[in-house]
Amino acid sequence: MPDFTMVDKNIYIVQGEICAVVGAIKRNSRWSTHTPLDEEQDPLLNSFSHLKDLLNNIKELPQVEPNVFLRPFLEVVRSEDTTGPITGLALTSVNKFLSYGLIDANHEGAAEAIENMADAVTHARFVGTDPASDEVVLMKILQVLRTLLLTPVGAHLTNESVCEIMQSCFRICFEMRLSELLRKSAEHTLVDMVQQLFSRLPQFKEEAKGFVGTNMKKLKMRAGGMSESTKWKKQKRSPRPPRHTARSSSGQSEPPQHTTLSNNLSGGMLFVEEQQSALPASDSAASSISSPVPDSGLDTSSKATSHEDLTDLEQSSSTATTPGTMAPPELPQPDPQCEGQQVERAQSASVESIPEVLEDRDSVAEQSDSASVHDMDYVNPRGVRFTQPSQKDGVAPMPYGLPCLRELFRFLISLTNPHDRHNSDVMLHMGLQLLTVALEAAYIAPYQSLLGLVKDELCRHLFQLLSMDRMNLYASSIRVCFLLFESMREHLKFQLEMYLKKLMDIITSENAKMPYEMKEMALEAIVQLWRIPSFVTELYINYDCDYYCSNLFEDLTKLLSKNAFPVSGQLYTTHLLSLEALLTVIDSIEAHCQAKVLNNTVQQDQSETLTADGESTVCDGTRTVTEAERLPTVRNGPEADVSPLCHTSAGHLIGDRLRQGRQDQEEPDLAEKKLPKKPLRFSSCFPDSQELLDIKNKKKLLITGTEQFNQKPKKGIQFLQEMGLLSSPMDNGEVAQWLRENPWLDKKMIGEFVSDRKNMELLDSFVNTFAFQGLRIDEALRLYLEAFRLPGEAPVIQRLLETFTDNWHKVNGSPFMTNDAGFALAYAIIMLNTDQHNHNVRKQNIPMTVEQFKKNLKGVNGSKDFDQDMLEDIYNAIKNEEIVMPDEQTGLVKENYVWSVLLHRGATSEGIFLHVPPGSYDHDLFTMTWGPTIAALSYVFDKSLDDAIIQKAIAGFRKCAMISAHYGFSDVFDNLIISLCKFTTLSSESIDNLPSVFGSNPKAQVAARTVFSLAHRHGDILREGWKNIMDSMLQLFRAELLPKALVEVEDFVEPSGKISLQREETPSNRGESAVLSFVNWLTLSGAEPSGLRGPSTENQEAKQAAMQCIKQCDPEKLITESKFLQLESLQELMKALISVTPDEETYDEEDATFCLEMLLRIVLENRDRVSCVWQAVRDHLCHLCVHAMESCFLVERAVVGLLRLAIRLLRREDISSQVLLSLRLLLMMKPHVLSRVSREVAYGLHELLKTNAANIHCSDDWFTLFSLLECIGAGVKPPASLQLTSGPDSDTGAQSDSELSSYHPSEVSLDRGYTSDSEVYTEHGKSRMPRSITDVDVANSGWLVVGKDDLDAAKSVAPSTKPPTPPLVNQYSLTLGQDMGLHDTKSLIKCVESLSFIVRDAAHVTPENFELCVRTIRVFVEASLNGGYRTHEKKRSHKYDTKSSRMRRRPREKEAAARRVKASSQRPSRPHSDEEEDEGVPASYHTVSLQLLDLMHTLHTRAASIYSSWAEELHHQETSGKKVEADSQTLWSSCWCPLLQGIAWLCCDARRQVRMQALTYLQRALLVHDLQTLDAVEWESCFNKVLFPLLTKLLDNISPADVGGMEETRMRACTLLSKVFLQHLSPLLSLPTFAALWLTILDFMDKYMHAGSSDLLLEAIPESLKNMLLVMDTAGIFHCADSRTGYSDLWEITWERIDCFLPRLRQELFKQAVMPEPVSSVPVEPSPAPAPRTASPVPATPPEPKIPSRPESPQEPPPLSANERSSPVPSTMPVPIPVKMSPSEAPPTINQSSPLILQPLASPLQVGVPPMSLPIILNPALIEATCPVPLLPASRPTEPSDVSEVK
């Protein structure tokens, strides 16, 4: 049965290609015969026919070895006889086989086939025709090479093949005679190949050091001047060397003389090895190409062969530790089946076995393309070689690895050497381009052999290229530099420093020839580097914080900042680039801050892991993670294994595949890597900021020390010792070390210093710092002489060299016979160096030869010779490379020297480069960059018109703000705000133009929005900047651009509760009058068209825009959000507001008002912590109120503000007492100023009491409040004690609260209008010195300025009563004797309302405020008397004169007059003019008086119950010190008496209704049940203090219009007197002073008899008198048993008095006896009071002391707390009655007065001397009754009738 299985399609493909090639060969004339014999004989055709037969017999292509079906095609390619087209066809076929994947990478013969293919194609030959078609073949060769290297099977190529392939491509690329298209194709092919090779780098392993040399010998690619030296023809001719001649049949290779596969580019396209160079070239021009290639894309690792194979290869190679080269010959090509054994064998192959086969392998690899040593190559006569497929046990070729990559890398680097004359621009460019690809494709750092090339040659060439002026090379080298430093900076510390310095030089270069683009590129390079995460941080920590590196970060920041400022004013890209670089730092810091804010927890976790992992990981690991993230595919391979911190997933694809293969080798390496590499200067891998700061400070000192050393070494050392950087006395080892490691020291100075004879020990130490061990003497000498400049004097040189040779000899185990031998040799080497390289010497002599050198040293080594080979090596080393003396050479030699020093430094621990996690030292970086950055931002913002740039600048500002907020840098933030405030133009523009200018300037608006949003967001750290923001706010206020909410403020008086700080302008407030403004308009309209005709539409639009912008800024938020500010910021904000007080220059009153309102709002927003800022606010308010000399809007707002604060803050217990205390500021105001704002205060206090009465507990505070009510409601002058600050020198500012209260504590209970008699003793027993001013100054001042207590004292003229304090209140007067000024009706009404609020709510009446309340009611009684008669005089006086007070004084700008006037007409809405109110006045006063009467009555009736409940409460609490007595004495003195006096005073009102009502109330009050508990003394005082003064007053002509009414009043008063007298007769009788009391009553009867015009009194008085006399007589008062008549003295006196006015009364009543019998029932007290009628006329002492004269009585001292009884208060009769009393009655008064401080006043009151007095009570109308110790200037009139004239 026929087999129907399908034939493999690939077989047909191969057969098709055979036909095509064979057809072409046959068509060619040379093969035109058609006999089969010819075909047989022709080897090319023959091999094809063999292949055909073979293919016909198989079903699947893999049954044939790849070599078999490839060989015929490759022979065609190799054959010199074929023409280009035929060769081209064969190449196309080969390419097809590769790209179709016909060669199975896993086939055991694949490697051999690939090798053969590479060999054939790189050595392709053909007969040339014309250049164009030849290029087509070359093109195909490129194509095949590219496909070969890039397809998976390409992984089987050997190192040599790869090099050849690359070299072939380079040849084509650099052959300038080829067409550009072909050259460019070669270039692209190279790019692809390099990318392919380097992307496979992670799969290769570094081989052991020993094999580097051996393997690399054969891999030399050479570049040279290929373009110029050779000719095309010659190249074409060069024949292919018959390779077989070099091979011996045994497979042993001949010694490798031609092992340098260097296809010499200069020598033509094929480099003919020497032994074949003699072969004649065939005339058929054979175009042959041989050479090597790179390419893109394919991550070949995945495709190349299979994973398993790769692993095997890797393993085998790693065993040999020559991973990238070839497997040792014992290892055959792995074959999938025997993979297992393969691995085992690979691992068992010992390292020792390698060297034996090495020679073999080298030569084999070199000569054969198949790796089989045993195959018998048949070479046909034409020179085509046939290779048999390799046997199983043959040697498989080793796949390529690191060696070819290193060779390629070395070659690319050599192409970039600008000093190599062979390198054309094309080559330089190509080299840079391919290096870029290589670095982009692979991470080179882990491979030491490649890294070495990078550190030295590559960096060197790149830096040299930077100074070339060819832009494309410059740009490319910058690009390569970036790739290097981005990935490998940790290995290139000093190279990076040099690079950045070069860039800085370029940027700052003043050279006119320097193209602008170069500067731009250099800046771009910096910006690009700056963007690498943590790059700047690393710069800072590795350079700025390294003693011996430049301050790169700082210098670059300065440079960039400077460069951001255009000199010409024109912004170019360089300026913006510089700014961008600065902003990059800011951006990254800001991003880190944001991240920290968002992610504090993660931050902590990270820091914990970092510390846990130990420092090593921080140093090594952190960076690798970032690398891994950055180039995952390429880098993670090596990283994954190397880096301790790598992600598990990193580099999974490659890493996993390689890991198993490399584990064993990896471990030792890892251990090495893990050693923490930290610079010696740091204590850890992650030093803290403080440590860095210390290093930087030390560095500054070191630089200074270095500079001094370079001038005078000793001076430098001494300076460093003084600074403590070098120990003192000098430690030689330390100094030597410093001389070695400090690169800035002048080498010449070092030489002089160490060679100084005095410093011999130092020289020893210096030499000891070198590691000479294992170095040949010339190498050691080279190292030694690099460290200093050898001085010129012979003895010095000798000293230096002797020390050197001794040391070298010792550490190297004394290789010479003597030390002297070493010294001689060292000297000889220096001489040789001079001889070979010194130009002056060379001019004169021919340089020494090696023979001469040896001859010179004959017998020097201890009379023997030195080792001749050694001398030869020394000679060659010196001849080839000069020992450069520092500071001696210039040009390239010097460059080489500097470079070698740099490399040496890099190799020491100084070269350690720390990697740090991003964001590590942001704080330090920001500290250094913020200044330059903000300056640059400001400049760019200012100069730029481009919106994008402005936005960028603003973003920069915002980020700086965010960072400074994050780190709490308030100075930075202030600086930023201040800069931005300038750009808002708010402060610079005049008010008139501001709206239009600001509204039409988008940039200013952006700045304003930014300022406000930053202040809202980061206000916490704002300090000085608040001042600028507030100035801007003020400008907006002046320009009326602020939102309504900000200029409307709370007000008490306005019905709406709000008042605007800005008024609408009306024409009339433009000038003095409407007429004037019209005139202005006429005159100015021409000159000022825009001024008064109304703004233009543009201006209106601009103003609208401005207002819109300000609205978006939301300035109000500054206030509302202030509660979230840190305290320090809040205090600064308040300080800024407080600083705005009116002055001549800057601010006027309206500004200050606005700021005050803002301040108050802020305080209220911060109620919770007001105690922290209260003092400042209070002082400010004090300054505004207390120091105001005239009332103005500002003062009014300050007063309202103080009250608003009080209302809101009283609820807060922590501050309420201070707030209440601060209300005293109002009392400290100048009285005339206070009276102007009385209405505001009245309304405010009303509000305060309504909301907070319950929060006021202390009597001090009640005193303040009631005093205020009195001052503003009744026009009482404020207490003098509070006016202390009014002196001219008192502008020192407000007193602190503590000072404020200093005058106060002791006055606690006396701050009211009278003194309760009991208190006089209790509270003030602690005799308190009064203020010296009260007594005397008071007397002289024009009005009464005394403390409340002083006021009391001033009137109470009872020196005897008030020992400790002088509360001068006349208790014998119905009035308080207050000096009342004018008051405002509305204020009075409001105050009375407040009072009634307190009284009517029992909860608000407390022991602390009761007496004060009573007193205040009495003050209001006085104020409202007669319908407030004083008020009507005042009319216009209430408000300040608006015109003058609100004028602005701002000379510096003529700020529109309109604004001035507008300002001055501050409140047209609130004139307070009394005209409007006049009609209502009488009615309102009427109500007030009745209200007051009602209040007094209420208090009077409730008093007893109130007091007893308090007493009980306090008794339960048992609070120490506080006691309330509810006994009648207390009640009388504190409550009943004052209230009765108040009611009595209203009985004297001119208004009849009030008078009558008052009398009714008085009557009701006196007869009320509670009063019955009073005893005699109280009743006496009731007469003396209430009734007598009332009667006295009623004698005046109070209401002339109402005669009848007055009569009735007087009559009712008299009746009341007699009623009270009779009702309480029995207690009164017990009084020692009864007689005086009775006589006074009689006195009044007398006066009243004669007072009236009608008969009403004439009838009523005798009736009352009769009534009294009868009752008294019945009571037996007039009887005295002892007297001879049986009547008492009283009887006598009585009638004597009555007879004066009613002579007939006695007869009427007592007809019986004029001399009645004595009645002994009268309980007369043993006292001299009722003195017999002495004739001594004492009429001049009218105020006869009706003292309860009991001073001698035994109970006098103890009853300190007793009430009136014991109180020696003069129970004065209110009238100077001409009673003749014995002088003995006066002395008690004087005795009593001794403890009084009014001593001087008392002195004139001695017995019988007419008393003098002081003018305390200035209003005679108020003096109803003088007290016993009169304090009146004039002596009283003697006759009772005169009393009425006093008024």
Side-chain angles (χ1 to χ4, degrees), residues 463-760:
F463 297 166
Q464 287 168 342
L465 285 169
L466 284 180
S467 38
M468 296 184 71
D469 48 5
R470 280 184 289 253
M471 282 305 294
N472 57 353
L473 292 177
Y474 173 76
S476 305
S477 46
I478 281 188
R479 185 173 174 191
V480 176
C481 286
F482 173 76
L483 290 169
L484 281 185
F485 296 124
E486 183 269 336
S487 60
M488 287 184 266
R489 57 184 179 279
E490 67 192 296
H491 306 289
L492 305 171
K493 177 171 174 178
F494 298 111
Q495 287 87 335
L496 174 57
E497 182 180 20
M498 192 172 203
Y499 173 58
L500 287 171
K501 281 182 173 168
K502 278 199 176 297
L503 290 183
M504 285 162 80
D505 290 344
I506 290 169
I507 293 168
T508 53
S509 163
E510 296 294 317
N511 182 358
K513 291 181 186 159
M514 169 82 68
Y516 172 80
E517 291 75 17
M518 281 180 83
K519 292 189 176 189
E520 193 175 32
M521 276 183 187
L523 273 168
E524 258 167 1
I526 287 178
V527 173
Q528 208 180 357
L529 285 170
W530 252 225
R531 290 225 169 94
I532 300 172
S534 72
F535 180 85
V536 278
T537 318
E538 285 165 14
L539 275 193
Y540 172 69
I541 197 169
N542 289 303
Y543 299 96
D544 293 53
C545 298
D546 183 339
Y547 299 127
Y548 302 120
C549 292
S550 25
N551 291 329
L552 280 183
F553 175 67
E554 198 176 331
D555 296 348
L556 272 161
T557 304
K558 283 179 189 158
L559 168 84
L560 292 168
S561 170
K562 187 176 160 198
N563 213 52
F565 289 76
V567 183
S568 59
Q570 176 70 43
L571 275 178
Y572 291 119
T573 42
T574 46
H575 306 130
L576 296 177
L577 277 169
S578 305
L579 181 64
E580 197 173 330
L582 291 169
L583 283 181
T584 306
V585 182
I586 298 296
D587 288 349
S588 70
I589 296 178
E590 193 257 356
H592 299 148
C593 292
Q594 293 282 18
K596 281 181 206 162
V597 171
L598 291 173
N599 209 352
N600 270 330
T601 46
V602 174
Q603 193 71 10
Q604 284 160 4
D605 295 350
Q606 274 179 358
S607 59
E608 281 159 28
T609 35
L610 284 180
T611 37
D613 285 6
E615 285 151 357
S616 54
T617 41
V618 181
C619 297
D620 268 348
T622 41
R623 189 188 140 279
T624 37
V625 175
T626 54
E627 294 297 357
E629 285 157 1
R630 235 171 291 145
L631 281 169
T633 29
V634 182
R635 298 222 182 119
N636 285 349
E639 290 286 350
D641 293 335
V642 171
S643 95
L645 273 189
C646 217
H647 307 306
T648 28
S649 61
H652 219 54
L653 294 173
I654 303 173
D656 254 15
R657 207 167 34 244
L658 304 179
R659 203 168 281 131
Q660 308 101 14
R662 286 211 253 157
Q663 231 131 28
D664 42 344
Q665 272 73 37
E666 211 49 68
E667 278 144 27
D669 264 28
L670 260 182
E672 249 172 69
K673 281 250 157 115
K674 268 203 168 162
L675 286 174
K677 284 175 82 179
K678 81 171 177 57
L680 300 169
R681 62 184 185 280
F682 294 145
S683 58
S684 72
C685 277
F686 206 63
D688 60 10
S689 294
Q690 188 50 48
E691 191 177 336
L692 296 184
L693 193 65
D694 296 344
I695 288 179
K696 290 196 70 179
N697 292 333
K698 192 171 167 188
K699 182 174 179 180
K700 282 181 192 151
L701 296 174
L702 276 174
I703 292 174
T704 315
T706 304
E707 284 165 359
Q708 296 195 3
F709 181 93
N710 291 343
Q711 288 159 0
K712 202 171 184 193
K714 267 194 189 135
K715 199 169 144 197
I717 300 283
Q718 191 185 338
F719 171 80
L720 292 174
Q721 285 176 326
E722 285 165 11
M723 292 301 159
L725 297 187
L726 290 177
S727 51
S728 176
M730 191 163 96
D731 172 347
N732 288 320
E734 188 186 43
V735 174
Q737 197 54 47
W738 182 67
L739 295 175
R740 286 274 282 124
E741 69 188 16
N742 185 345
W744 299 323
L745 292 174
D746 186 337
K747 301 283 191 244
K748 188 170 170 222
M749 288 301 178
I750 298 178
E752 285 180 18
F753 189 59
V754 295
S755 61
D756 191 329
R757 197 176 265 110
K758 295 174 202 156
N759 298 332
M760 289 301 283

Side-chain angles (χ1 to χ4, degrees), residues 772-840:
F772 292 143
Q773 196 169 357
L775 292 179
R776 201 173 58 212
I777 191 164
D778 62 310
E779 292 163 347
L781 190 59
R782 194 184 283 278
L783 192 64
Y784 181 56
L785 294 178
E786 230 176 47
F788 61 92
R789 167 85 173 83
L790 196 63
E793 304 79 43
V796 179
I797 294 177
Q798 182 182 349
R799 207 163 32 246
L800 287 164
L801 284 183
E802 272 174 357
T803 318
F804 161 73
T805 40
D806 290 353
N807 183 291
W808 180 84
H809 215 234
K810 192 167 76 198
V811 298
N812 284 298
S814 307
F816 303 145
M817 294 300 191
T818 61
N819 276 2
D820 288 352
F823 174 72
L825 181 54
Y827 224 105
I829 292 170
I830 289 177
M831 302 304 285
L832 173 67
N833 189 58
T834 310
D835 171 79
Q836 294 293 321
H837 300 288
N838 188 311
H839 295 300
N840 299 334

Side-chain angles (χ1 to χ4, degrees), residues 1803-1838:
S1803 57
L1805 307 176
Q1806 305 310 325
V1807 188
V1809 183
M1812 294 168 56
S1813 75
L1814 285 170
I1816 295 292
I1817 302 167
L1818 295 177
N1819 183 343
L1822 297 184
I1823 303 157
E1824 277 64 50
T1826 23
C1827 35
V1829 184
L1831 296 184
L1832 280 166
S1835 50
R1836 299 298 303 186
T1838 40

Side-chain angles (χ1 to χ4, degrees), residues 189 206 336 520 679 716 770 827 863 958 987 1010 1013 1016 1152 1364 1545 1588 1625 1764:
T189 306
E206 187 95 65
E520 193 175 32
F770 292 90
Y827 224 105
S863 70
R958 284 178 182 276
S987 44
T1010 311
S1013 73
H1016 296 328
W1545 189 234
F1588 293 164
L1625 183 56
E1764 286 260 329

Side-chain angles (χ1 to χ4, degrees), residues 31 461 478 657 889 1087 1183 1204 1366 1440 1657 1707:
W31 284 278
H461 296 165
I478 281 188
R657 207 167 34 244
Q889 304 289 351
H1183 180 74
R1204 270 167 52 205
Y1440 33 83
L1657 285 168
Q1707 271 74 26

